[in-house]
Amino acid sequence: MMMISVPAWLAGLALLVTTPALAQVAPGLPEDPGAAVVEELVVQAKEPGPAWWVVRDGDSTVYILGMPGGGIPPKSAWDRRYLDRRLKGANSLILADSIRISVGISSFGEALRLYRSLRSDVPLETRLQEPLRSQFIAARRTVGQPERRYARWSPFVASLMLVGDSAPKGWVDPREDIIRAARKAKVKRVQASAYDASSSAGKILGSMDPAVETACLSAAIRTVQRARPAETAEGWARGDVAGAISGPRDFEGCLLLLNGGPQIWRAIVSEHTRLIAEGLKTPGHSVALVDLSMLVAEEGVIRRLEDRGLTVMGPGGS
């Protein structure tokens, strides 16, 4: 899954126009390149703990740890033995899953217009038509939020907030623990390059019509309804790839509605692949963190590495 903060997206959505009444017929979601997976990669790891892949080239090795799309319960007892063993003496910790998206605002006036366009004096639930209104109320009650939290925002912003509010409180990102372990082992970190989305801002703005906003809010509601965070977190911790990626991808479809979405996804996969290939140029071994769904997708990192002529061994022993 692509980790993008809400402010980063808001910063790029200048001049977004919302309307008092929202159409209830949403456009179809575009094909999600991360939804189609390579079935032979969806396996149960033989090693204890989360699933690892191994790619070698001569005397160089990169151990790839598939990372969960969300957090895990605090003090979760996932087996770290292979992580600690592979960090020992590693050339680097490749943070391929840490994608930064750069979207700029050129002026204070533009930022002010953006803020105003994302707000409304008419409460959101008054602007929504049935059945979307009732579905949204049920979803925000599920995540324990009052009407006033979303009342003055556009449906698009409300969809981002709703998905964020659905994350279990107090859960932690295992990446932080891994980074601390790498620091303790004196392993240098290598991060992905920032992706500059400034050039696509105009296209993004052009796509934000009422039907798109409705699709985003509907997708957020479905995500809340279908999410099983405890099951996906447990699946990740015990190396069950199918369980770890079983969470809903409805909101990824919403982001892909924004022009350039599939291209951004593919650019991120290419950057993951490049970083791992760069790691293989140095004798010895490195550890890479890659979002699990981007690893096992048909157009994902493992297939891209194989396209480079590299042999990748999976957690199932093949």
Side-chain angles (χ1 to χ4, degrees), residues 246-268:
S246 63
R249 294 189 60 87
D250 300 85
F251 204 64
E252 278 80 356
C254 164
L255 294 178
L256 289 171
L257 272 175
L258 306 177
N259 288 334
Q263 286 73 26
I264 291 176
W265 188 94
R266 292 182 177 97
I268 291 171

Side-chain angles (χ1 to χ4, degrees), residues 136-154:
F136 175 72
I137 292 173
R140 59 119 170 128
R141 286 175 176 168
T142 296
V143 301
Q145 294 294 342
E147 177 184 1
R148 66 178 179 274
R149 172 160 171 75
Y150 312 97
R152 302 301 178 185
W153 290 106
S154 75

Side-chain angles (χ1 to χ4, degrees), residues 33-90:
V37 301
V38 182
E39 291 299 330
E40 67 215 52
L41 301 178
V42 182
V43 297
Q44 173 63 54
K46 291 185 176 181
E47 299 175 346
W52 290 82
W53 280 260
V54 182
V55 55
R56 291 187 170 91
D57 186 14
D59 56 357
S60 299
T61 301
V62 174
Y63 297 100
I64 306 171
L65 177 58
M67 299 300 293
I72 60 175
K75 299 181 181 178
S76 179
W78 57 282
D79 195 313
R80 291 182 30 156
R81 283 177 291 176
Y82 282 90
L83 170 67
D84 293 335
R85 183 182 305 172
R86 288 163 178 169
L87 282 176
K88 187 176 181 180

Side-chain angles (χ1 to χ4, degrees), residues 25-285:
V25 179
L29 296 177
E31 182 181 358
D32 175 6
V37 301
V38 182
E39 291 299 330
E40 67 215 52
L41 301 178
V42 182
V43 297
Q44 173 63 54
K46 291 185 176 181
E47 299 175 346
W52 290 82
W53 280 260
V54 182
V55 55
R56 291 187 170 91
D57 186 14
D59 56 357
S60 299
T61 301
V62 174
Y63 297 100
I64 306 171
L65 177 58
M67 299 300 293
I72 60 175
K75 299 181 181 178
S76 179
W78 57 282
D79 195 313
R80 291 182 30 156
R81 283 177 291 176
Y82 282 90
L83 170 67
D84 293 335
R85 183 182 305 172
R86 288 163 178 169
L87 282 176
K88 187 176 181 180
N91 294 323
S92 61
L93 174 65
I94 301 169
L95 300 172
D97 67 331
S98 178
I99 289 296
R100 297 161 293 152
I101 293 187
S102 172
V103 183
I105 284 183
S106 60
S107 68
F108 174 78
E110 184 180 351
L112 184 60
R113 287 193 297 271
L114 167 62
Y115 178 77
R116 288 173 175 171
S117 71
L118 297 174
R119 302 282 285 181
S120 173
D121 292 333
V122 181
L124 175 63
E125 291 178 16
T126 302
R127 286 175 274 153
L128 300 177
Q129 298 177 16
E130 295 293 350
L132 185 62
R133 178 179 178 275
S134 295
Q135 293 168 349
F136 175 72
I137 292 173
R140 59 119 170 128
R141 286 175 176 168
T142 296
V143 301
Q145 294 294 342
E147 177 184 1
R148 66 178 179 274
R149 172 160 171 75
Y150 312 97
R152 302 301 178 185
W153 290 106
S154 75
F156 175 68
V157 176
S159 71
L160 293 169
M161 295 170 66
L162 183 64
V163 171
D165 291 339
S166 68
K169 301 300 183 290
W171 283 32
V172 298
D173 186 346
R175 294 162 182 80
E176 296 176 3
D177 191 30
I178 294 170
I179 290 172
R180 283 193 295 269
R183 187 181 300 119
K184 184 177 180 180
K186 295 182 170 50
V187 177
K188 72 174 183 179
R189 286 173 285 167
V190 176
Q191 285 190 284
S193 302
Y195 181 87
D196 185 0
S198 300
S199 61
S200 63
K203 293 181 180 180
I204 292 173
L205 298 175
S207 71
M208 294 306 296
D209 59 25
V212 169
E213 294 212 66
T214 298
C216 287
L217 191 56
S218 296
I221 291 167
R222 291 195 303 274
T223 295
V224 170
Q225 293 170 336
R226 299 174 184 178
R228 301 291 184 271
E231 295 176 14
T232 54
E234 181 184 353
W236 174 78
R238 56 187 172 85
D240 175 8
V241 177
I245 64 172
S246 63
R249 294 189 60 87
D250 300 85
F251 204 64
E252 278 80 356
C254 164
L255 294 178
L256 289 171
L257 272 175
L258 306 177
N259 288 334
Q263 286 73 26
I264 291 176
W265 188 94
R266 292 182 177 97
I268 291 171
V269 168
S270 294
E271 177 68 356
H272 290 353
T273 307
R274 183 191 70 80
L275 287 173
I276 293 168
E278 285 292 318
L280 288 170
K281 292 181 179 180
T282 303
H285 75 276

